[in-house]
Amino acid sequence: GSEFLADRCGRRSGMAALRRCSLRLKTLCERLGEWRRPPRRDAHKKKWASSRLSARGAELALQNLDMSCGPQLGDLWPSVRVGLLCEQKYGALLNGFEDVEKVIRQMELQQAKDFVYGGGDSQGPGCMPKGGCKPRGIQDLPQDLKTPESQDLQTSESCPDPSLAGGDSGRESPSSLETKQSLSVSPNLKCFTFPRGDTTRFKPARQGSLRMLEYYLMDAASLLPVLILDVQPGHTVLDLCAAPGGKTLALLQTECCRHLAINDISSSRLSRLRKILHNYVPKNLCTEDRLRITSFDGRLWGEIERDTFDRVLVDAPCTTDRHSVHEEDNNIFSRLRIRERQMLPLLQTQLLVSGILATKPGGSIVYSTCSLSQLQNECVVERAVQVAETEHGMELLTEDLTDVRTHYRETFNFYGRCRVGELVLPHLTANYGPMYFCKLHKIH
């Protein structure tokens, strides 16, 4: 009996021990379930570069513009933003080396108007050519590079209230730079545009009777820097950053350049410029004594040919805001080009200083970009003037371009608060630009 009791007690204690072990094992299994190794796809950091779509260049461009231009433009930014994202409006720069009168009749039948003289305020500057210097017709085609009579289209009208121009609430206080008001425009340039709100598109240009294209389609605002450059007969002119060639073509259309130096550091872009010259300009005007095409670093030009040119155009490389919000290929707002974009204001300043050095005393320089950024516009001008004065001992004046804004406000939408220069803003009713331009006069 005692052995039976002992055996029974032993089995009970063993069962109790087994239950305790089972409980512990169950608890351990539950914990192991919580601690089990995660799936392999979650065990390592994701390779975002290959597994997650990165933001596209156009999206990054729009994000950057929202952050920089939103605070700068304030209430104007929403309409500017919509304009940038919508289809751009073009103007037709007539080729004066073709049958101009015929093309003018065709343009007028389409209800297009020449904004240079016929599409602005009647009281603005340069509305009528003086001194008998009239626009060319086919009968005026030169065998040689003829220069029209000297002209002075400077306005004698007083400046209207800036608050009336461009729908602005007033202009910012002027820069500390001295200002000098002056404006004249070439009578040979004709650029036709459709009225505000009219989204009609020009047809592709056709060859005329002289086997050259009849007009060149471009952003009409891009012609403004050429107009204010005020090229006069016999002038030597430098286009420091010429490609792709729209402004260069406009300079040649004036027929006032005794010698035009065309430069761009990009050989591929110069190829496009050469093609434009081939399609629009007679061969007798493309001789070496009248036209020089080079591919130098523009930052060095001021040292190569100092005090040489009567007029210098610096259409500096920039972020090309409108292009950037639409294009993906090689977008300057992409992450791979951050450093290049950050260095743009320095490059632009160096180019403008070089252009100032290359200008004769008494000559003029026009700086332009197709960017909305103050860092690439007013800040570059102010810094370049400071460098030219402090490091090179030069005296410069910046010209007041209020008359340009007033005269062409029926065609373009201007932002009237730039410290120096003027800025054309995109707008659905007049979707040109952005285009910034500023004119400097070199005293000595």
Side-chain angles (χ1 to χ4, degrees):
S2 60
E3 291 178 1
F4 173 77
L5 291 174
D7 182 56
R8 188 174 181 182
C9 290
R11 285 200 301 269
R12 287 180 177 175
S13 61
M15 291 296 292
L18 184 60
R19 283 196 295 270
R20 286 195 297 271
C21 289
S22 298
L23 182 60
R24 291 174 183 172
L25 184 61
K26 184 179 179 180
T27 305
L28 182 60
C29 289
E30 290 176 353
R31 292 180 179 177
L32 284 174
E34 297 173 1
W35 297 338
R36 69 180 182 273
R37 185 172 180 174
R40 183 172 179 80
R41 65 177 180 274
D42 299 322
H44 302 281
K45 182 179 179 181
K46 289 183 179 179
K47 297 177 181 178
W48 298 111
S50 59
S51 61
R52 183 181 181 183
L53 292 176
S54 59
R56 299 182 304 163
E59 293 176 357
L60 291 173
L62 200 55
Q63 291 171 12
N64 275 271
L65 292 174
D66 283 334
M67 290 187 292
S68 60
C69 299
Q72 174 188 334
L73 299 177
D75 294 339
L76 297 174
W77 173 239
S79 63
V80 173
R81 190 181 194 271
V82 172
L84 282 174
L85 293 172
C86 292
E87 185 178 1
Q88 184 178 12
K89 196 171 181 179
Y90 287 91
L93 175 65
L94 299 199
N95 187 0
F97 305 116
E98 266 293 340
D99 190 346
V100 178
E101 299 302 325
K102 171 188 172 184
V103 181
I104 289 177
R105 289 194 295 271
Q106 294 173 351
M107 293 291 175
E108 289 175 345
L109 288 175
Q110 300 177 59
Q111 306 301 314
K113 293 184 178 180
D114 174 21
F115 88 85
V116 178
Y117 288 105
D121 240 347
S122 61
Q123 298 302 316
C127 345
M128 292 291 293
K130 285 186 180 180
C133 185
K134 61 181 185 300
R136 296 180 304 263
I138 188 171
Q139 66 275 13
D140 303 317
L141 282 177
Q143 297 300 322
D144 242 22
L145 182 63
K146 295 181 180 179
T147 55
E149 295 179 29
S150 179
Q151 57 209 324
D152 183 3
L153 301 179
Q154 296 183 8
T155 181
S156 60
E157 300 291 336
S158 60
C159 293
D161 186 352
S163 63
L164 298 176
D168 306 316
S169 60
R171 189 178 182 88
E172 282 189 7
S173 57
S175 166
S176 58
L177 304 173
E178 295 183 57
T179 58
K180 169 179 174 290
Q181 184 168 322
S182 173
L183 175 67
S184 62
V185 295
S186 169
N188 290 328
L189 291 174
K190 288 189 173 295
C191 186
F192 278 76
T193 59
F194 291 105
R196 272 183 176 263
D198 189 339
T199 58
T200 306
R201 300 176 65 182
F202 290 102
K203 296 179 180 179
R206 299 177 301 178
Q207 279 193 345
S209 57
L210 300 179
R211 302 187 66 81
M212 290 178 289
L213 296 181
E214 294 178 329
Y215 52 82
Y216 178 77
L217 295 180
M218 63 188 298
D219 186 332
S222 297
L223 192 60
L224 294 175
V226 178
L227 294 179
I228 67 169
L229 190 59
D230 184 25
V231 180
Q232 296 295 321
H235 275 170
T236 55
V237 182
L238 169 63
D239 191 350
L240 192 60
C241 309
K247 297 180 181 67
T248 303
L249 178 60
L251 287 170
L252 288 170
Q253 292 295 321
T254 66
E255 284 195 60
C256 291
C257 303
R258 177 167 56 87
H259 179 79
L260 176 60
I262 302 170
N263 181 72
D264 199 281
I265 196 171
S266 170
S267 56
S268 60
R269 286 164 59 87
L270 275 180
S271 298
R272 181 180 171 188
L273 187 147
R274 291 178 188 273
K275 185 177 180 181
I276 290 175
L277 296 180
H278 174 76
N279 290 332
Y280 288 90
V281 183
K283 290 183 179 179
N284 66 307
L285 295 184
C286 296
T287 56
E288 292 184 359
D289 60 322
R290 297 169 181 169
L291 199 65
R292 177 166 48 126
I293 301 178
T294 57
S295 185
F296 296 146
D297 186 342
R299 293 172 293 183
L300 306 177
W301 199 283
E303 300 298 333
I304 297 173
E305 296 191 45
R306 190 161 181 161
D307 298 336
T308 303
F309 298 94
D310 299 290
R311 298 288 187 269
V312 174
L313 175 62
V314 183
D315 185 39
C318 63
T319 50
T320 55
D321 294 346
R322 182 186 287 276
H323 176 81
S324 295
V325 298
H326 290 282
E327 299 295 332
E328 296 300 332
D329 294 341
N330 203 30
N331 195 307
I332 196 168
F333 285 93
S334 67
R335 291 189 172 94
L336 296 176
R337 301 183 68 184
I338 290 177
R339 179 64 176 168
E340 179 185 351
R341 190 172 74 251
Q342 291 172 339
M343 295 300 291
L344 268 178
L346 175 60
L347 172 62
Q348 293 161 340
T349 302
Q350 292 171 335
L351 287 169
L352 182 52
V353 170
S354 179
I356 293 171
L357 293 176
T359 308
K360 292 178 180 178
S364 299
I365 309 99
V366 170
Y367 172 79
S368 64
T369 73
C370 48
S371 172
L372 294 165
S373 170
Q374 285 182 326
L375 292 176
Q376 299 178 59
N377 297 337
E378 299 108 299
C379 294
V380 168
V381 173
E382 292 166 343
R383 176 58 180 160
V385 170
Q386 182 184 23
V387 170
E389 291 178 344
T390 58
E391 298 184 12
H392 300 282
M394 297 179 178
E395 183 181 354
L396 297 162
L397 298 179
T398 178
E399 295 200 7
D400 182 1
L401 301 177
T402 303
D403 279 343
V404 177
R405 176 160 49 93
T406 304
H407 180 53
Y408 294 121
R409 65 184 177 184
E410 295 300 320
T411 305
F412 304 107
N413 186 52
F414 285 94
Y415 176 65
R417 303 174 190 173
C418 295
R419 296 190 299 273
V420 288
E422 293 292 342
L423 175 63
V424 175
L425 297 176
H427 192 274
L428 282 180
T429 59
N431 207 6
Y432 305 105
M435 176 56 59
Y436 173 81
F437 51 94
C438 180
K439 185 175 182 180
L440 301 173
H441 185 69
K442 184 174 177 180
I443 304 301
H444 65 76

